[in-house]
Amino acid sequence: MYARILVPLDGSKAAEAALPLALALAVRWGAEIEVVAVPVEKESRASVESYLAALRERMAVGGLVNQLRTHLLSAGEPTARILERLAASHRDLVVMTTRGRGAVRRAWLGSTADGVVRASPVPVLLIPPDRGPNPDGGAAADLEKDGATGTDAVAPPAPFRRVVLPMDGSDEAERMLEHTAPLLEASDPEWILLRVIPPFVPGGSPYLPHMVRDLPEQTQVHAAAQEYLDRMAESVPTGRARTRVVTVGQPALGILQVAEEEGADLIAMPTAGRGGVSRLLLGSVADKVIRNSEVPVLVSRHSGEG
């Protein structure tokens, strides 16, 4: 369970698409949410304060003011200020959209999300802006529509039911089981454990990468991958697991295709991991998955990264 959630906002409706899910999780866990915003320059501080005050009023319409705290960060580079606050406030989950363009600062959220993902000491749940309940009106519009009040105006209490988890044999990927479990619905969630393997190139050329030249027969690679996933399926914390091994030259494409085929509502992966099973560096594809996913992506940075 995550008890203390941080939600960075930039004043845009796209950024506010992270609020409904964050609030739903907070209600489910009895967690506290802190919304933070960063002034661009000294003269913008008043406008940021005004934005946060208005946000608190809008959340009160849904009866959720007690779930929400706001904090005005000192002016500076947004990523650095958010990470400083994350450490100081001892948050254990960040929820934010992958991009936004708002009144507080134009077009900073996308690059800020990148920076937070690369350096956050806690998992980050990234929400595509158009995945919000009402992306045109923002989170507050959803709370206000039809005179809705209470948590039903935000999001269902069990946000995710089917997750795709790419596995490469690394400890980082395997730890995502633990990070993901609290986000799944309590009743019979489904895990799709995925192993992406590169296509076999017979008669390896000396000009091909060492990994490709030395691959054994594709059937043997597939069998080893399947055996590994079967073992990992026994370790899922809750619910049931299915396994898939796919052969594709672009791992990110394979992950996204499986998520679409399976009707997954969450992808979970580390920002980096290198496993003996695949020799696949997940960090090289995580960015592509985040940028192109149509569903939320949960990422976690290995504590040993620089």
Side-chain angles (χ1 to χ4, degrees):
M1 183 184 77
Y2 297 105
R4 297 169 64 83
I5 304 170
L6 187 79
V7 181
L9 296 184
D10 68 352
S12 69
K13 293 176 181 179
E16 288 179 15
L19 271 176
L21 179 57
L23 288 165
L25 294 173
V27 170
R28 181 184 184 190
W29 300 325
E32 178 185 283
I33 293 180
E34 182 174 74
V35 171
V36 297
V38 183
V40 182
E41 49 195 25
K42 292 181 179 179
E43 58 264 30
S44 71
R45 187 175 183 86
S47 65
V48 181
E49 289 177 335
S50 176
Y51 167 71
L52 291 176
L55 179 67
R56 289 191 296 269
E57 292 179 3
R58 290 154 58 194
M59 293 301 103
V61 173
L64 294 164
V65 68
N66 291 330
Q67 298 292 137
L68 187 70
R69 301 287 184 272
T70 60
H71 186 79
L72 177 62
L73 300 176
S74 57
E77 198 282 319
T79 298
R81 294 294 179 262
I82 290 168
L83 292 171
E84 289 169 2
R85 183 60 186 173
L86 183 59
S89 59
H90 305 291
R91 303 286 147 175
D92 51 16
L93 178 69
V94 178
V95 180
M96 64 189 302
T97 54
T98 52
R99 55 193 177 276
R101 183 183 293 271
V104 173
R105 182 168 185 178
R106 291 181 60 83
W108 67 259
L109 191 61
S111 60
T112 300
D114 290 343
V116 171
V117 165
R118 295 179 189 280
S120 173
V122 302
V124 181
L125 180 58
L126 296 159
I127 315 297
D130 57 359
R131 293 290 294 182
N134 186 6
D136 293 331
D142 265 294
L143 293 175
E144 296 172 4
K145 68 181 181 181
D146 301 325
T149 59
T151 59
D152 289 342
V154 184
F160 301 116
R161 59 184 177 80
R162 184 173 296 136
V163 57
V164 167
L165 205 163
M167 310 290 291
D168 71 344
S170 67
D171 292 340
E172 293 81 11
E174 293 174 9
R175 275 197 291 268
M176 292 305 298
L177 291 166
E178 179 183 352
H179 293 318
T180 306
L183 298 173
L184 303 183
E185 63 182 4
S187 176
D188 200 30
E190 188 170 10
W191 305 72
I192 294 93
L193 305 184
L194 171 64
R195 172 72 175 81
V196 180
I197 58 177
F200 174 60
V201 181
S205 162
Y207 299 103
L208 291 174
H210 177 80
M211 180 184 72
V212 177
R213 292 202 316 272
D214 290 352
L215 278 176
E217 293 293 338
Q218 191 77 3
T219 53
Q220 296 176 352
V221 175
H222 191 286
Q226 186 61 62
E227 181 182 354
Y228 167 68
L229 290 182
D230 289 343
R231 291 198 308 270
M232 294 308 305
E234 299 175 358
S235 303
V236 297
T238 182
R240 52 200 169 94
R242 290 191 294 109
T243 62
R244 288 193 58 174
V245 180
V246 299
T247 302
V248 62
Q250 300 183 38
L253 179 61
I255 293 167
L256 294 168
Q257 286 181 341
V258 168
E260 181 178 2
E261 292 168 3
E262 296 287 353
D265 46 20
L266 179 67
I267 297 171
M269 61 190 301
T271 58
R274 190 180 182 95
V277 172
S278 70
R279 308 294 293 170
L280 169 65
L281 185 64
L282 277 179
S284 66
V285 300
D287 182 67
K288 293 179 182 178
V289 171
I290 292 168
R291 291 180 183 277
N292 294 282
S293 178
E294 296 184 357
V295 301
V297 181
L298 177 71
V299 294
S300 180
R301 184 180 71 94
H302 175 39
S303 60
E305 292 178 45

